[in-house]
Amino acid sequence: MERFLRFAYAERDGLHTYVARAGEQDMPEPLWPGLWEQSYPSAPQLSPYLRHGINNACGEALAVWRALAWALTEGTERHAIPCYYRDEAAGLLGVDRAAIRTVGWEYEVDVERADWPAADRGFVPARACVPLRPAPDAWQRAHRARAGLFPLDTFAQLTALELAVAGDAASEITLFGLGPGHDSLGLVDALDRPDRPELHEVLRPGDVFVDLAVVRDAPTGWTNYLTVKSLDPTDRVWHLADHYSAAFRRYLAVVPRLRTFEDFHAAIDDLLAAPPAGHQR
């Protein structure tokens, strides 16, 4: 198993919890030399960054984590919070700010802490980026303590959230996969109550919670966390970790033969592909 795909399991706070903890030595650097050596095409479908969220700083392994999160929530109604960069995410998704569904609480996993129980802070008061110049308008001032909860229909939309949050030393995206009978209105209500919500009270049977807390350019000692939680135990975490670990090894084998961006895109599409539905169990 690739080190960044090794999950630990625990039952904690009434939830089945699976955590992949990857320090600086565990998360592979960007691997294809063309990410440094070639000028990126401007067309979104040809650019490795705009298409896959991969460049010479954010490597292929982070995209694998994102693909695993998407595969884990297959068959659910997906909603995500891009922490702090709500308005940037709305712009990339083409959502008018008046249509953004906002909530008062967002989840936090603290990448500055190497100890998992201490890093898992749970729900914290939401906050959103407010510009200094030009001066924020009335809507931005009124919503500075509101996170955006965005419905997602495609993996490309999850990648768009990645682009929205990628400018900081560390970033976080929280993905809620809602099972049958649990709609977004109930989730909004749970994340907008006056008192601090507890995740085991927010989730219902069949829901899947995935949090991607990622280090990009930060002091040594910070830790990446991929966190999965649910009320029900699931073997899909292990099966998908096996799948993507094997896919990553295949990718490592083909990297020396990649010459063009077309070669790269084909290899990444294969790397990020989920297993057939019958093989996810």
Side-chain angles (χ1 to χ4, degrees), residues 12-13 17-23 65 83 106-124 170-172 174 196 199 209 211-215 221-227 229:
R12 185 168 180 248
D13 299 327
T17 301
Y18 309 79
V19 180
R21 176 186 175 280
W65 267 17
C83 295
E106 63 188 9
Y107 207 85
E108 183 176 306
V109 175
D110 187 353
V111 297
E112 296 186 46
R113 294 181 177 271
D115 177 59
W116 160 246
D120 184 19
R121 295 192 61 200
F123 287 105
V124 298
S171 67
E172 191 161 4
T174 304
R196 180 178 183 264
L199 186 58
F209 167 93
D211 187 89
L212 297 138
V214 168
V215 178
W222 287 19
T223 305
N224 301 275
Y225 291 103
L226 172 54
T227 305
K229 296 189 178 187

Side-chain angles (χ1 to χ4, degrees), residues 144-198:
R144 67 191 311 155
R146 307 286 294 174
L149 182 67
F150 295 93
L152 301 182
D153 297 316
T154 67
F155 181 61
Q157 290 175 324
L158 180 58
T159 300
L161 298 191
E162 167 74 9
L163 302 183
V165 304
D168 258 345
S171 67
E172 191 161 4
I173 297 172
T174 304
L175 180 62
F176 297 88
L178 306 183
H182 189 184
D183 61 26
S184 60
L185 294 179
L187 179 60
V188 171
D189 288 344
L191 299 182
D192 211 25
R193 63 181 60 164
D195 53 317
R196 180 178 183 264
E198 297 293 339

